[in-house]
Amino acid sequence: MTAGNAAAPARAPVGKLGEGAFKDKEKPTHIRMSNIEAAKAVADAVRTSLGPKGMDKMIRDDKGNVTITNDGATILQRMKVLHPAARMLVELSKAQDIEAGDGTTTVVVVCGALLEAAKQLLSHSIHPTKISDAFQRAATEAIKVIESMKIEFDLSNKEAMMKACATSLSSKVINTHSVQMSELCSSAVLKVADPEKNSLDLKDIKIVAKVGGTLDDTELVDGLCLDNNAMGTTRRMEKAKVALIQFQLSPPKTDMENQVVINDYSQMDRVLKEERQYTLNLVKAIKKSGANVLLVQKSILRDAISDLAIHYLNKLKIMVIKDIERTDVPFLCKTLGCHPVASADHFTPESLANVDLVEEVAIGGESNCTKFTGIQNAGKTVSILIRASNENLLAEADRSIHDALCVLRCLVKQRALVAGGGAVESELALRLGQRAKEIGGVDGYCLQRYAEAMEVVPYTLAENAALNPIEVVTELRKRHNAGEFNAGINVRKAGVSNMHREDVLQPMLVSTSMINLATETVRSILKIDDIVNVVGRG
Amino acid sequence: MAMAMNPIQVLQNGAEEEKAETARLSSFVGAIAIGDLVKSTLGPRGMDKILYSPTGQYGNGEPSVQVTNDGATILRSCGVDNPAAKILCELSKVQDDEVGDGTTSVTVFASELLREAERLVELKIHPHTIIRGWKKAVAVAREALNESAVDNQADPEQFKEDLFNIARTTLSSKLLTQHKDFFAKICVDAILKIRDDPKSTLESIQIIKKLGASLESSFLDEGFLLDKTPGQNQPRRVENARVLLANTAMDTDKIKVFGSRVRTNDIKSLAEIEAAEKEKMKEKVEKICKYDMNVFINRQLIYNYPEQLFADNKVMAIEHADFEGIERLALVLGGEIVSTFDNAENVKIGKCDLIEEVMIGEDKLLRFSGVSQGQACSLVLRGATEQILDEAERAIHDVLCVLYSTIKETRTVYGGGCSEALMAQAVQVLVEESEGKEQHAIQSFANALRQLPTIMADNAGLDSADLIAKLRAEHAKGNKHAGLDLYNGCVASMDDLKVTESFKVKRQVLLSGHEGAEMIMRVDDILKSAPRQRAPDRCM
C-alpha cells in the first residue's frame, strides 16, 4: 500500500455521509419534530380557554382535589407534563406570569402557532438556524408595530386602569363582578404604588380569602385584615394598643433539653402553682406596658401561648391573636407601624401601635377574621378580603384578582395601553405581512409565516365565542387594511368593532412580553437537536 | 492433573478484560460517540441540547429540563460507561477549569483525531507510529499558532478592543448571541476592573441571577451585592460601615455533649435557667457590640431576641448569609470570619463606604459599595426563565474565564476556523517533507484540525465541502487571516470581521486534545475490576 492511498480515504468527509455532508442528519430532524409536536399538544390543550368566552378546565390531582380554572399558567402547572420540550411551554407560561401576570394562555397559544409555522418551514428544508434568525427579526419588527399602537396613560387616570382590569377579568369566572373588582383592585394599587419609582410591590397588598358569603361581599379593607381569629372572650377593642410579640407565653423551656423531676405530691402542687405564677408575671408585664391587643408570633419550638395565658389575658381584657407567621412580621410592622417585641422586658411605648378599632368579624363558618381599622401612622399597605360561596370559586377569584393586580403592576411599570380583543395580533399579521413582501428571500418567507401565525389569536377568540372564525378574521383583515388599527373582536356584540371605543384595553407590556417570550421559546426549541438523559445526581 | 485441563483463572470473579483489538475498538467507538454527541453544538450556529433529568436536578423529584450548548455541562450530565469516553469528558472538564472555554472544541478535536487513527490502525499502522507522527505534527502546529499570535498588550486601547472581540466571539456560540455586544461590554468592563489588582480573582466578580425582565436589563454594578435584608427596625443604610463577619450560633450556645439536659425540681428554677440562657445571649450580643463595628453579618440564623438587641444598639444585623456569601464578603471587605468574641483587638474588621438597600426587579438587595478591595463588582443577570438565566450564567462564566486568562496571557489569535486552517496548512507542509510511515499520521492530524471548521460549517447549514476547500486554498496561498464567515456563508478575512480568540484557549485545545487522543491510543487492554460485593444488610 502506498502513502497516497492511505491519505486519500483519510481525507474523505467523516461520518460516512458521502456527497451530502452538509445535510442534516436524520436523528436531529426527528427530535426536532417530536419536540414541536409535544409542545403543540400542550398549546392545543389550553387553546379553548382563551378569551372572554373561553372554557374552564377541571383539574383533578392525585389526591382527588379539584381545581377549576381558565388561567393558562395554573392549568399548565397542574398538568404534570413530562416531555422535556412540552415542559418548556409550561415554563413559558410561568415566565409570562412572572413578567406580566396576564396573557399566560395567549402566550402559549401563540407559541403553538409559531411552532406550527416553523414545522412547515422545516418541511421546506429551511435550516433551523435560518428560521430562528428570521423569527427573531420578526419579533423585533412586531415590537415596533405594537409600540406604534400604544395609547399613553398616566397614573391619575383611574378609569383607564379599571378598563384594563376589566379586560383581564372578562375571561374569568368572576366576570359578572368585573366592575366591582376592577374598582377594588385599582383603588388598592393606587394606594400602595410608588409613582416616582415606577414600582409596585404586590407584597404590600395582602389577600385574605374566606369561604362564605358571595363575591359581592369582597371588599377592600382600609387598614389590615388578618386571617386569624381572636382567642378567648375579648373580640373587640376600641382605642387599641397593639403589640406584636415574638416571645412565648407558655411554661418556660430551656434550649437544652430539660426535665422537671417530681418526687412527691406536694411538689406537684408547687410546680403547678409556680407555672401559674410564672405565666401571670408575664401577663402582668404585658398589661403594664399598656397593650390591649396582642399578636403572638408562631413558634416552632414550643407552644406560642398556653391556654392558661389566654385565660389570664382575657381576665385582664387583652385581646389575643395567635399564629402570626414570621414571614408576615415585616408586613404587619409596616402596616401598623409597630416594632416587634422579642422579650418581656423590652416593651416600650414606641413598639405599640395605636389603632382605633380592632374587631373580629364573624363571617360564618368556623374561622373568622380580624379587622384593624383606623390605624394611626399606617404604612402604605392594603388588605383585600375575598369572599365566595365555595372553595373552587374562591381559589379562582383569588387567581383572577392576582392577575388583575399584575396587569395594574404592568401599567405602573410601563405606562402604556393597547387595544385588546385580538386587535394587536390582527394588526401584527397585517403589518408583518407587508414587511415580509418588502424583505423577500428566505427571511421574508419566514416572516410571512410568522405574520400568519399571529392570526391564531383572533381566530381562537372567535371560535371560543361561537362566532364564525373565517368570517370574523377576514372582516378584521379588511378593517385593519382600511387603517382601523384598533379593530378587534367584540364578543359581547358578536362582531368586529373598535376596541378602544369599547374600552377593551390591556397593558402594552403584556403584548410585548408575549411576543418576546413566545419567540424566544420557539427559537430555543428549534435550536435543540438532541435530548440527553441525565443520570445519577443525588 | 485434572487442574491442567481447566482454564486458568487469573482475574477475580466478575472482573473483565478486553484485549488488543477489542480494547482499541471499544476506545475508538466510545470516544467517537462522545465527539458526535457534542459536535453539533460547535460554533456560532451550533445547536442546543435538552438535558432531561426525570428525578430533578435538585433531587426534589420534579423532572427538570435544562437547555444548553455548553460542552462541559453536557458531558458532565450524561453518564458514560466507556473508559475512553470518560477520558474525553475529563478533558472537557479540565479545559473548563483551566481556561473556561473551548470545552466542546477540545472534545471534538480529540475524537476526530481518534476517528482518523481508527482508519490508520485498520491500515495496519502501529499505534506508536501514529503517536510519533502526531508528536511531530503537534510541534509544528504549535509553532504555527505561536507565530500567528498577536500581542497588543502595549496599546491599552487596542488591547481593550481585543478583549471585546474575544468576548464577542465566545458569546456568539451561546444563547446570548443576540445581545453579544451588550454582554461583551459588561464582561470586559468587569474584567478591566479587577485587572490591575493582584488581590482580585474571578471570585471578586459576583454573578447574581434575578428572575424577571429581559436579558437586556442585566447590568454591572459597583461593589458587592448580598441577597439579604437587615432585621426589623435596624438601620437600612450605613455609611462608613465597619463590618464584623461571624459564624456563630445566635440562637443559644448549646453544650455539645450528647444527652446533656437540665434537671430541676420546679418550674421556678427552670424559668431561672431560661432567663440565664437569655442573659447569656444578651452578654454575647453586648460583647459583639463592643467591637468597633456597626454591621454584623452572621452565617447562621439570628433569632428574634438578639435581633432586637442589635436593633436597640443601632447595629445592622444580617442573618443567614450563606457560606459562599460570607466567604466572598470576607474577601472583598478584607475582614475575617470570627466565631468567638473575647479578644476585640485582634480581629480584622471589614470596611466599606456605604451599605444600602437597592431594588432589583421586585426584590431588595443590600449593596456594599466602596469596599476596601475596590475592584469587586457584581453582575446582575435578568431573564425570563430559570433556564435562560442558568444558560446565561454559564455563558458569562465562560467569557469571564477566557478574558481572565487573556489578561494573564495577552496574545490573541483569529477564530472562525482561521487558526485551525492555519495550523493544518503548516502540518500539511510537514507531510510533504517527512519520510516513512509517520507521514500518514501527520496527514491525519491535519485532517482532524480541518474537521473543526468543517463541523462549524455543517452546523450552520452551509456546504462545508465547498467552503473548506476554499478556506484551504486561501491558506495555501498564504492568506493567513482567512476564516469562515458563518453568517454570510463565505470565506472572509477574520481581521475585518474582528473574530478573535484567546491564544491560550486555542493552544489548550490543541495540546490537551492531542494529549487525550494519544493517551487513548496507547491503550491496548482494558481491565474492569470486579464490582465490590455489597455487605449483607444486617437488618434483613
Side-chain angles (χ1 to χ4, degrees):
Chain A
M1 189 172 291
T2 64
N5 281 349
R11 211 183 302 152
V14 182
K16 295 166 187 96
L17 286 172
E19 64 285 345
F22 59 93
K23 259 195 194 156
D24 239 334
K25 278 181 287 181
E26 206 155 299
K27 191 188 174 199
T29 316
H30 183 72
I31 294 230
R32 212 167 276 133
M33 281 304 166
S34 99
N35 282 344
I36 291 181
E37 285 304 326
K40 263 176 56 197
V42 171
D44 283 342
V46 294
R47 227 177 80 115
T48 52
S49 55
L50 186 78
K53 291 286 168 78
M55 291 297 161
D56 291 1
K57 306 266 175 215
M58 186 183 245
I59 306 159
R60 226 184 80 176
D61 64 12
D62 42 8
K63 288 192 198 81
N65 297 329
V66 174
T67 315
I68 300 176
T69 183
N70 81 355
D71 182 46
T74 313
I75 298 172
L76 292 173
Q77 203 92 65
R78 306 270 161 98
M79 266 189 0
K80 302 255 180 267
V81 176
L82 278 181
H83 192 283
R87 283 194 68 81
M88 291 177 68
L89 256 73
V90 179
E91 290 290 331
L92 166 70
S93 84
K94 210 161 95 188
Q96 174 81 0
D97 199 23
I98 293 167
E99 181 65 20
D102 196 22
T104 50
T105 316
T106 322
V107 72
V108 175
V109 171
V110 167
C111 187
L114 287 178
L115 283 171
E116 175 64 42
K119 196 179 133 192
Q120 282 172 19
L121 292 168
L122 282 173
S123 69
H124 290 263
S125 40
I126 299 176
H127 197 273
T129 49
K130 286 253 166 65
I131 304 176
S132 167
D133 288 354
F135 276 17
Q136 177 61 38
R137 189 167 171 186
T140 323
E141 300 273 349
I143 301 292
K144 274 189 220 150
V145 174
I146 297 176
E147 270 169 9
S148 73
M149 292 174 72
K150 77 174 171 194
I151 302 155
E152 294 285 351
F153 152 85
D154 72 282
L155 274 186
S156 56
N157 191 349
K158 191 172 169 186
E159 223 169 284
M161 286 175 88
M162 282 175 60
K163 283 177 199 163
C165 258
T167 310
S168 155
L169 290 172
S170 67
S171 61
K172 314 286 175 184
V173 181
I174 59 170
N175 62 6
T176 44
H177 296 79
S178 67
V179 176
Q180 177 205 354
M181 295 294 170
S182 13
E183 160 73 34
L184 196 140
C185 295
S186 312
S187 318
V189 166
L190 283 177
K191 189 144 188 279
V192 299
D194 185 348
E196 273 127 51
K197 277 203 208 141
N198 281 355
S199 72
L200 169 64
D201 197 348
L202 286 186
K203 281 182 219 130
D204 287 340
I205 301 177
K206 188 183 172 69
I207 296 182
V208 180
K210 283 280 181 192
V211 178
T214 59
L215 281 170
D216 291 317
D217 299 332
T218 301
E219 60 176 328
L220 183 70
V221 180
D222 191 15
L224 174 70
C225 183
L226 277 182
D227 201 353
N228 322 49
N229 49 336
M231 305 297 297
T233 50
T234 319
R235 311 247 153 169
R236 186 187 154 89
M237 187 65 68
E238 281 178 38
K239 304 245 171 317
K241 281 186 179 301
V242 185
L244 175 58
I245 62 166
Q246 295 182 308
F247 58 92
Q248 292 84 25
L249 290 173
S250 55
K253 187 170 170 244
T254 56
D255 290 308
M256 261 186 283
E257 209 176 320
N258 62 47
Q259 197 175 31
V260 178
V261 184
I262 293 169
N263 295 325
D264 57 36
Y265 178 73
S266 65
Q267 256 179 343
M268 199 167 111
D269 236 11
R270 205 178 71 223
V271 166
L272 282 175
K273 222 165 84 192
E274 270 172 1
E275 186 186 323
R276 244 177 263 158
Q277 191 56 44
Y278 175 82
T279 314
L280 193 60
N281 284 344
L282 279 176
V283 171
K284 276 186 179 154
I286 292 167
K287 178 75 186 167
K288 222 176 96 192
S289 72
N292 52 16
V293 174
L294 207 56
L295 303 174
V296 187
Q297 185 185 313
K298 214 177 202 173
S299 166
I300 43 164
L301 296 171
R302 63 197 226 200
D303 277 350
I305 185 161
S306 66
D307 288 347
L308 194 65
I310 294 176
H311 173 74
Y312 283 133
L313 287 168
N314 274 324
K315 277 208 165 158
L316 292 171
K317 300 254 175 311
I318 296 175
M319 187 169 166
V320 191
I321 298 165
K322 67 169 191 176
D323 287 347
I324 306 286
E325 298 287 346
R326 194 181 176 193
T327 45
D328 283 343
V329 169
F331 177 79
L332 289 176
C333 290
K334 190 172 174 189
T335 311
L336 297 171
C338 65
H339 295 180
V341 183
S343 124
D345 40 343
H346 257 89
F347 272 112
T348 48
E350 307 86 79
S351 60
L352 302 183
N354 291 313
V355 178
D356 286 348
L357 178 65
V358 178
E359 188 180 22
E360 183 182 300
V361 199
I363 48 173
E366 282 167 17
S367 59
N368 295 345
C369 65
T370 316
K371 274 188 200 165
F372 293 65
T373 40
I375 302 166
Q376 282 154 31
N377 59 44
K380 277 175 107 184
T381 63
V382 283
S383 303
I384 294 177
L385 175 63
I386 307 176
R387 308 296 313 280
S389 51
N390 64 58
E391 283 286 349
N392 286 323
L393 191 59
L394 187 69
E396 181 69 358
D398 191 346
R399 280 191 291 272
S400 309
I401 288 189
H402 168 257
D403 277 9
L405 289 175
C406 286
V407 165
L408 293 176
R409 187 183 60 184
C410 289
L411 282 179
V412 176
K413 272 203 274 193
Q414 198 186 49
R415 291 173 195 168
L417 288 160
V418 290
V424 173
E425 289 80 4
S426 310
E427 183 68 9
L428 282 178
L430 176 77
R431 300 264 285 270
L432 291 180
Q434 286 169 352
R435 188 88 185 93
K437 288 186 191 108
E438 290 164 24
I439 295 174
V442 177
D443 265 14
Y445 191 67
C446 295
L447 194 59
Q448 182 66 42
R449 287 302 160 97
Y450 189 99
E452 280 162 21
M454 284 298 139
E455 279 187 344
V456 75
V457 175
Y459 189 91
T460 313
L461 278 177
E463 208 176 53
N464 289 347
L467 302 173
N468 183 345
I470 304 283
E471 227 165 71
V472 172
V473 171
T474 44
E475 172 71 17
L476 268 177
R477 272 190 208 160
K478 202 178 94 193
R479 295 271 193 111
H480 279 265
N481 215 0
E484 258 189 74
F485 61 85
N486 278 335
I489 300 173
N490 190 333
V491 175
R492 260 164 284 167
K493 291 184 189 159
V496 173
S497 56
N498 186 326
M499 286 293 125
H500 188 24
R501 228 165 285 146
E502 296 286 337
D503 293 342
V504 181
L505 297 172
Q506 66 188 42
M508 192 173 86
L509 194 64
V510 171
S511 294
T512 47
S513 109
M514 173 195 85
I515 294 290
N516 277 334
L517 292 174
T519 312
E520 210 159 83
T521 306
V522 172
R523 292 184 62 218
S524 52
I525 290 179
L526 278 175
K527 270 192 88 184
I528 291 161
D529 74 337
D530 205 356
I531 297 178
V532 179
N533 276 312
V534 179
V535 287
R537 197 181 290 180
Chain B
M1 283 290 109
M3 282 292 283
M5 301 305 291
N6 288 343
I8 301 166
Q9 194 177 11
V10 181
L11 296 171
Q12 201 188 347
N13 223 356
E16 286 170 35
E17 188 185 16
E18 288 176 36
K19 277 189 182 148
E21 288 311 307
T22 340
R24 212 164 274 136
L25 187 72
S26 100
S27 298
F28 287 144
V29 168
I32 291 170
I34 287 291
D36 283 349
L37 176 69
V38 291
K39 84 175 183 193
S40 69
T41 64
L42 198 69
R45 294 299 189 90
M47 293 292 162
D48 293 353
K49 307 266 173 209
I50 286 186
L51 302 180
Y52 176 65
S53 161
T55 53
Q57 267 166 284
Y58 315 104
N60 56 4
E62 274 281 301
S64 69
V65 175
Q66 238 181 326
V67 180
T68 182
N69 80 356
D70 184 48
T73 311
I74 298 170
L75 293 177
R76 203 182 313 128
S77 309
C78 63
V80 264
D81 199 23
N82 184 293
K86 270 230 157 80
I87 292 178
L88 288 200
C89 293
E90 282 293 308
L91 220 56
S92 87
K93 202 167 145 256
V94 170
Q95 179 84 7
D96 197 24
D97 297 344
E98 191 84 356
V99 282
D101 193 26
T103 52
T104 313
S105 308
V106 71
T107 319
V108 172
F109 179 53
S111 89
E112 289 304 330
L113 272 177
L114 289 169
R115 200 195 295 271
E116 296 288 329
E118 188 189 11
R119 229 186 306 269
L120 295 182
V121 170
E122 265 173 32
L123 296 175
K124 306 283 177 227
I125 295 180
H126 194 272
H128 272 291
T129 318
I130 302 175
I131 291 171
R132 240 188 356 260
W134 283 357
K135 278 231 165 93
K136 284 187 184 162
V138 82
V140 170
R142 192 176 169 179
E143 192 56 39
L145 191 66
N146 275 342
E147 264 173 36
S148 75
V150 188
D151 193 349
N152 281 328
Q153 196 186 13
D155 180 359
E157 275 306 306
Q158 185 62 39
F159 184 58
K160 198 177 164 188
E161 176 89 28
D162 272 356
L163 285 178
F164 184 68
N165 288 337
I166 290 173
R168 271 170 45 107
T169 312
T170 309
L171 282 170
S172 65
S173 63
K174 313 282 178 187
L175 176 86
L176 303 177
T177 171
Q178 286 301 326
H179 318 289
K180 62 182 173 192
D181 287 349
F182 177 75
F183 281 100
K185 194 173 172 317
I186 287 185
C187 292
V188 171
D189 286 349
I191 279 292
L192 287 177
K193 274 202 172 67
I194 65 165
R195 180 185 169 195
D196 302 315
D197 188 39
K199 275 187 292 177
S200 299
T201 57
L202 274 185
E203 290 275 293
S204 322
I205 303 175
Q206 185 199 20
I207 300 178
I208 291 182
K209 295 180 284 182
K210 277 280 164 205
L211 214 56
S214 64
L215 284 169
E216 285 144 52
S217 330
S218 308
F219 61 94
L220 184 72
D221 206 348
E222 299 279 333
F224 182 85
L225 289 169
L226 187 70
D227 195 355
K228 293 284 169 221
T229 45
Q232 283 295 314
N233 302 320
Q234 289 165 355
R236 287 290 195 256
R237 183 189 152 93
V238 178
E239 279 179 43
N240 288 327
R242 291 178 305 286
V243 185
L244 181 67
L245 298 159
N247 181 7
T248 181
M250 290 305 280
D251 43 353
T252 41
D253 281 334
K254 277 188 195 139
I255 299 170
K256 295 245 169 58
V257 179
F258 181 70
S260 65
R261 58 171 59 190
V262 181
R263 198 177 290 224
T264 57
N265 286 326
D266 47 25
I267 295 283
K268 205 165 121 195
S269 33
L270 193 62
E272 275 162 14
I273 291 172
E274 195 196 20
E277 275 180 348
K278 215 165 100 180
E279 197 53 39
K280 216 163 158 307
M281 188 81 275
K282 199 173 169 187
E283 269 172 34
K284 191 169 180 179
V285 173
E286 273 163 11
K287 248 191 214 167
I288 293 171
C289 290
K290 272 199 198 120
Y291 282 74
D292 175 31
M293 62 88 178
N294 47 19
V295 178
F296 177 73
I297 300 175
N298 193 11
R299 187 163 100 67
Q300 300 179 26
L301 288 173
I302 300 176
Y303 274 46
N304 297 330
Y305 181 61
E307 182 181 312
Q308 185 164 18
L309 293 177
F310 280 123
D312 292 347
N313 278 313
K314 302 267 174 282
V315 169
M316 181 197 265
I318 297 159
E319 64 166 12
H320 212 203
D322 49 30
F323 198 73
E324 206 189 344
I326 201 139
E327 299 260 294
R328 238 186 244 264
L329 269 176
L331 182 83
V332 295
L333 298 177
E336 63 180 294
I337 302 169
V338 284
S339 50
T340 53
F341 305 97
D342 290 326
N343 41 352
E345 310 80 44
N346 300 340
V347 173
K348 267 210 287 187
I349 301 275
K351 288 191 184 68
C352 75
D353 293 344
L354 179 66
I355 300 177
E356 61 181 338
E357 277 188 323
V358 286
M359 283 283 282
I360 296 179
E362 310 279 281
D363 299 324
K364 278 188 186 138
L365 280 85
L366 278 181
R367 176 162 68 201
F368 297 71
S369 40
V371 295
S372 60
Q373 209 188 359
Q375 282 67 32
C377 53
S378 297
L379 212 164
V380 182
L381 286 178
R382 307 296 312 273
T385 63
E386 291 279 351
Q387 278 97 338
I388 292 180
L389 278 182
D390 286 348
E391 181 68 359
E393 189 195 10
R394 281 190 287 271
I396 294 287
H397 165 259
D398 281 7
V399 176
L400 289 178
C401 284
V402 173
L403 292 181
Y404 190 64
S405 59
T406 314
I407 55 173
K408 296 263 139 78
E409 162 60 83
T410 53
R411 282 180 286 177
T412 57
V413 291
Y414 290 109
C418 171
S419 306
E420 285 84 359
L422 186 90
M423 289 189 277
Q425 184 57 36
V427 175
Q428 196 69 46
V429 173
L430 182 71
V431 173
E432 322 296 339
E433 288 167 359
S434 53
E435 291 166 11
K437 278 205 224 173
E438 283 145 45
Q439 195 187 45
H440 302 298
I442 300 171
Q443 177 67 53
S444 76
F445 199 88
N447 291 339
L449 276 173
R450 255 180 229 126
Q451 275 304 316
L452 289 172
T454 310
I455 293 167
M456 284 201 281
D458 277 343
N459 288 343
L462 302 170
D463 187 344
S464 59
D466 178 41
L467 276 177
I468 299 308
K470 278 186 191 152
L471 182 65
R472 229 182 126 168
E474 285 293 323
H475 278 269
K477 272 187 245 163
N479 183 355
K480 290 194 171 167
H481 295 164
L484 296 177
D485 176 358
L486 294 173
Y487 294 97
N488 299 318
C490 59
V491 174
S493 161
M494 290 296 114
D495 195 29
D496 297 346
L497 291 175
K498 303 203 185 312
V499 180
T500 349
E501 280 187 58
S502 153
F503 169 72
K504 198 174 167 195
V505 171
K506 269 276 130 56
R507 191 188 57 192
Q508 201 65 26
V509 167
L510 178 72
L511 297 185
S512 37
H514 164 246
E515 259 169 36
E518 183 186 327
M519 194 156 70
I520 294 172
M521 275 302 290
R522 284 177 184 276
V523 173
D524 76 334
D525 200 319
I526 298 172
L527 276 172
K528 270 191 199 146
S529 52
R532 191 168 39 154
Q533 294 294 315
R534 267 191 150 189
D537 213 333
R538 264 174 297 166
C539 301
M540 294 297 279

